[in-house]
Amino acid sequence: MSTVKLTVNGKAVSVDVEDRTLLVQLLRENLNLTGTHVGCDTSQCGACVVHIDGRAVKSCTVLATQAAGSNVTTIEGIAKGEELHPMQAAFRDNHGLQCGFCTPGMIMSSIDIVNRHGGKVDEATVRQELDGNICRCTGYHNIVKAVLDAASRMKVAQAAE
Amino acid sequence: MYETTYHRPSSVAEAASLFGKGKEAKYLAGGHTLIPVMKQRLASPSDVIDLGKLKELIGVEATGNGVEIKAATTHYDVSTSDAVKKAIPALAYLAAHIGDPHVRHRGTIGGSLANNDPAADYPAAVLALGATVKTNKRTISADEFFKGLFTTALQDGEIITAVSFPVAAKAGYGKFPHPASRFALTGVFVAKTAGGDVRVAATGASQNGVMRVPAIEAALKANWSAGAIDGVKVSADGLLNDIHGSSGYRANLIKVMAQRAVAAAG
Ligand SMILES: Cc1cc2nc3c(=O)[nH]c(=O)nc-3n(C[C@H](O)[C@H](O)[C@H](O)COP(=O)(O)OP(=O)(O)OC[C@H]3O[C@@H](n4cnc5c(N)ncnc54)[C@H](O)[C@@H]3O)c2cc1C
Ligand code: FES
Ligand code: FES
């Protein structure tokens, strides 16, 4: 057993877990943050993507102990109260989800893509970089539209800040 | 996943000493090979020793004649490193085409080389560029390092600390990614060394892991151009033959990827 201390969505937490616990289990089972999903057992689907220290990672392929001392952001941590994050709003407006299972991972990955490219993304980049996220419903078209839409909104939001 | 004990050492020396104390210890870097394998219960280390946060193992440095990449540097950091892009752009390109962004944010060059997956990308660059693998005990030349499928010259408990790449006069990488896994169905790295020698390495193709391709090397040495590869015969003997592609298909992919690599190298 280890005591893992980390920051999740801005709050310091300390959790006792077995050393074999995956970060996604700590989030879902210990912290009840069930927005982060598990869609595969092979590190391929991206439903579990969260940010560790600002970088998108598959939380099913990180030990909870490896994340000790880090800053973790999950899908629950991006809205400002009732106000959706621009990426969440763009997914809703562009019909970027159907069943919603892949959506938390898609949104966390998409925010990372836009941030890494300083808001300047085109369709080819978005498609290429969503390589690690699988959606069984939408056919991706509206997801890509949503990300491009959000990229312009995020730029506007940054400029206004 | 079976139970294990996690350690976070504060130096390479401490990591090596923890390894010696463990019953069946394993190093952990990015975890993007080891954790999936532990989840499948194909590996059950008694202890995992995390190298991923050791400052002495992270970073890229320009050297007199190339770049040195420390072992726990992530694929993402290599792909965006100014030093790598300046010295060997083909290496930055290769790192940018490993897996997907999430994999690149965690996976490391040291982990990839220690694992020596027959379809991994880095082994092709290390072999073609004639890089040197540095460990906590010695330095190993690329020609000595790779020993077949998932096998390397590393001894039990030996830690890769860095990989030193010499600049090449020309270098390029061509990869045909497996559409689902993103590993190389076949990838070819071509390099014309500063001394004028030509080295070509293919990954994803051979039953024995990464390999040199002498026939293409000879053709490129005579005439460095994609066209020079047209007439080369690449033998299908010893190449992988599986549901993803026949050995004949891979033999042809070696030629086509080599041509793309030469075109990219200019
Ligand atoms: C979905 C997915 C797609 C991928 N696609 C690709 C791809 O397209 N191309 C590709 O090349 N790879 C691919 N990979 C593999 C990825 O690049 C791995 O990260 C890499 O192979 C292993 O690096 P790691 O740092 O994650 O190693 P770990 O998983 O931490 O370790 C792997 C092995 O190396 C040992 N080790 C680690 N560091 C050292 C060291 N410094 N010294 C000695 N031993 C060490 C460990 O003990 C372990 O046995 C993919 C992985 C996933 C999950
Ligand atoms: S659950 Fe993590 S990649 Fe599928
Ligand atoms: S919306 Fe159903 S899996 Fe993507």
Side-chain angles (χ1 to χ4, degrees), chain A residues 66-86:
Chain A
Q66 276 180 294
S70 302
N71 217 322
V72 175
T73 306
T74 71
I75 188 73
E76 289 90 348
I78 56 171
K80 285 190 189 141
E82 294 291 298
E83 189 196 331
L84 293 178
H85 184 282

Side-chain angles (χ1 to χ4, degrees), chain A residues 97-102 135-138:
Chain A
L97 61 147
Q98 288 180 24
C99 80
F101 193 86
C102 70
C135 175
R136 303 202 65 171
C137 303
T138 63

Side-chain angles (χ1 to χ4, degrees), chain A residues 37-48 58-61:
Chain A
H37 292 167
V38 177
C40 73
D41 210 13
T42 50
S43 308
Q44 266 162 336
C45 75
C48 62
K58 292 170 176 165
S59 62
C60 74
T61 313

Side-chain angles (χ1 to χ4, degrees), chain A:
Chain A
M1 294 288 285
S2 291
T3 301
V4 175
K5 290 189 197 329
L6 71 171
T7 305
V8 179
N9 298 332
K11 262 195 263 163
V13 296
S14 171
V15 193
D16 292 324
V17 292
E18 286 185 8
D19 288 12
R20 62 177 159 176
T21 307
L22 299 168
L23 176 59
V24 69
Q25 293 173 304
L26 177 147
L27 294 170
R28 291 179 56 88
E29 294 167 22
N30 296 82
L31 302 180
N32 291 324
L33 294 171
T34 53
T36 303
H37 292 167
V38 177
C40 73
D41 210 13
T42 50
S43 308
Q44 266 162 336
C45 75
C48 62
V49 169
V50 302
H51 296 180
I52 298 184
D53 297 329
R55 285 185 179 184
V57 305
K58 292 170 176 165
S59 62
C60 74
T61 313
V62 177
L63 295 175
T65 47
Q66 276 180 294
S70 302
N71 217 322
V72 175
T73 306
T74 71
I75 188 73
E76 289 90 348
I78 56 171
K80 285 190 189 141
E82 294 291 298
E83 189 196 331
L84 293 178
H85 184 282
M87 189 63 75
Q88 291 173 303
F91 266 68
R92 186 176 65 181
D93 294 348
N94 290 280
H95 201 89
L97 61 147
Q98 288 180 24
C99 80
F101 193 86
C102 70
T103 312
M106 285 287 178
I107 288 182
M108 298 311 286
S109 301
S110 301
I111 293 172
D112 175 67
I113 293 171
V114 173
N115 284 343
R116 264 190 292 113
H117 292 278
K120 288 193 221 80
V121 286
D122 55 16
E123 182 184 339
T125 310
V126 173
R127 286 189 183 274
Q128 170 90 27
E129 299 212 351
L130 281 177
D131 228 15
N133 293 79
I134 294 173
C135 175
R136 303 202 65 171
C137 303
T138 63
Y140 302 97
H141 196 68
N142 286 350
I143 293 179
V144 176
K145 250 171 57 189
V147 180
L148 293 172
D149 181 13
S152 58
R153 299 191 199 189
M154 283 166 71
K155 249 193 303 197
V156 174
Q158 272 163 0
E161 264 172 23

Side-chain angles (χ1 to χ4, degrees), chain A residues 19-20 55-56 58 66, chain B residues 1 6 39 53 77 100 105:
Chain A
D19 288 12
R20 62 177 159 176
R55 285 185 179 184
K58 292 170 176 165
Q66 276 180 294
Chain B
M1 192 186 298
Y6 172 87
K39 281 163 68 173
K53 292 215 159 50
D77 285 344
D100 56 50
H105 282 155

